[in-house]
Amino acid sequence: MSTYRHHIVGQAEFAHAPGKVVCVGRNYADHVKELGNAIPASPLLFIKPATAMVAMAEPLLLPSGFGACHHELEMALLIGQPLTKAAPEECRAAIAGIGLALDLTLRELQDELKKKGHPWERAKAFDGACPLADFVPFDQNLDFATLTLRLTRNGDVQQQGSCSDMLFSVENLLSEISHSFSLMPGDVVLTGTPAGVGPLRSGDKLLAELGDFLRIETVVL
């Protein structure tokens, strides 16, 4: 597995080493419904380590022997300034870039862990579990509600949604996270996935898109 480094399109290499990945589960109501879960009253958070990050543009290597590995396309936020116990209105200034991520999930293993009341990390935080596209510079005037996500697999649209459908807005989500643990430069926040998640198979060709900002192709080994 290659060593991952953050890159922001059109800028010099990001100065900070990759940190943790903070993920939010069940942030799109249609995805909550497709998995038969309850809509959360507050953000459902979990963490992937830096070793989960790989470049999405490189071929994706899935774990073997753990059952189906599902794709979950998400908007990713690259943190450029520390955030600790921040108010929502303070959070946009800490975003250095926006991008795309795949929250790869060993679904059968996750279901087993959930039944036992165990944490999800074994199903969500393995090496390579967070393929990331290069980030684009964040415009402080960007309206997140105008952004759309789409994942096409072998020519068929699998996931499509709008960031306007998120149950917890970007600003509120970052604020909530910062009150539980600090976000530091080099950290990445994943903001949830729309409906349409499903298993990946060897040879699958993927196209991930974030509005007019990003368009990236990859393949599953």
Side-chain angles (χ1 to χ4, degrees):
M1 185 173 61
S2 60
T3 301
Y4 173 83
R5 295 288 301 182
H6 294 310
H7 292 279
I8 299 179
V9 177
Q11 296 186 6
E13 184 170 306
F14 190 68
H16 303 282
K20 59 185 176 291
V21 183
V22 182
C23 310
V24 55
R26 307 176 190 175
N27 201 24
Y28 284 77
D30 54 358
H31 173 58
V32 174
K33 292 175 183 176
E34 75 175 342
L35 294 185
N37 295 316
I39 291 178
S42 59
L44 195 164
L45 304 176
F46 60 95
I47 291 178
K48 297 176 186 264
T51 49
M53 298 185 216
V54 292
M56 190 187 295
E58 297 182 4
L60 306 182
L61 179 62
L62 307 183
S64 59
F66 295 96
C69 184
H70 281 206
H71 59 74
E72 297 190 9
L73 183 68
E74 311 204 9
M75 179 176 67
L77 307 173
L78 177 60
I79 302 301
Q81 297 179 24
L83 276 179
T84 302
K85 294 181 173 58
E89 59 270 19
E90 299 174 311
C91 292
R92 290 177 70 97
I95 303 172
I98 60 172
L100 285 167
L102 286 171
D103 171 15
L104 297 183
T105 303
L106 298 170
R107 188 68 70 200
E108 294 166 32
L109 177 56
Q110 185 193 31
D111 288 343
E112 292 177 12
L113 293 168
K114 287 164 66 175
K115 288 177 183 177
K116 296 175 181 177
H118 292 178
W120 299 352
E121 276 74 12
R122 289 180 181 271
K124 290 269 195 182
F126 52 88
D127 288 354
C130 187
L132 288 162
D134 285 350
F135 292 88
V136 296
F138 179 61
D139 180 354
Q140 290 291 325
N141 296 314
L142 175 67
D143 180 0
F144 284 107
T146 65
L147 293 179
T148 57
L149 293 165
R150 183 165 64 179
L151 181 70
T152 305
R153 184 172 69 93
N154 301 327
D156 296 324
V157 176
Q158 300 295 305
Q159 291 187 264
Q160 187 163 292
S162 169
C163 293
S164 63
D165 297 328
M166 292 194 300
L167 298 174
F168 305 101
S169 70
V170 166
E171 294 84 358
N172 288 331
L173 178 60
L174 293 180
S175 176
E176 285 266 0
I177 293 171
S178 76
H179 279 78
S180 294
F181 32 77
S182 294
L183 289 169
M184 302 302 294
D187 287 349
V188 172
V189 174
L190 306 192
T191 55
T193 193
V197 302
L200 292 169
R201 298 177 178 86
S202 178
D204 280 347
K205 295 180 180 179
L206 306 179
L207 171 63
E209 298 172 277
L210 178 65
D212 296 325
F213 288 96
L214 281 172
R215 186 177 189 274
I216 184 166
E217 297 179 351
T218 191
V219 65
V220 180
L221 290 179

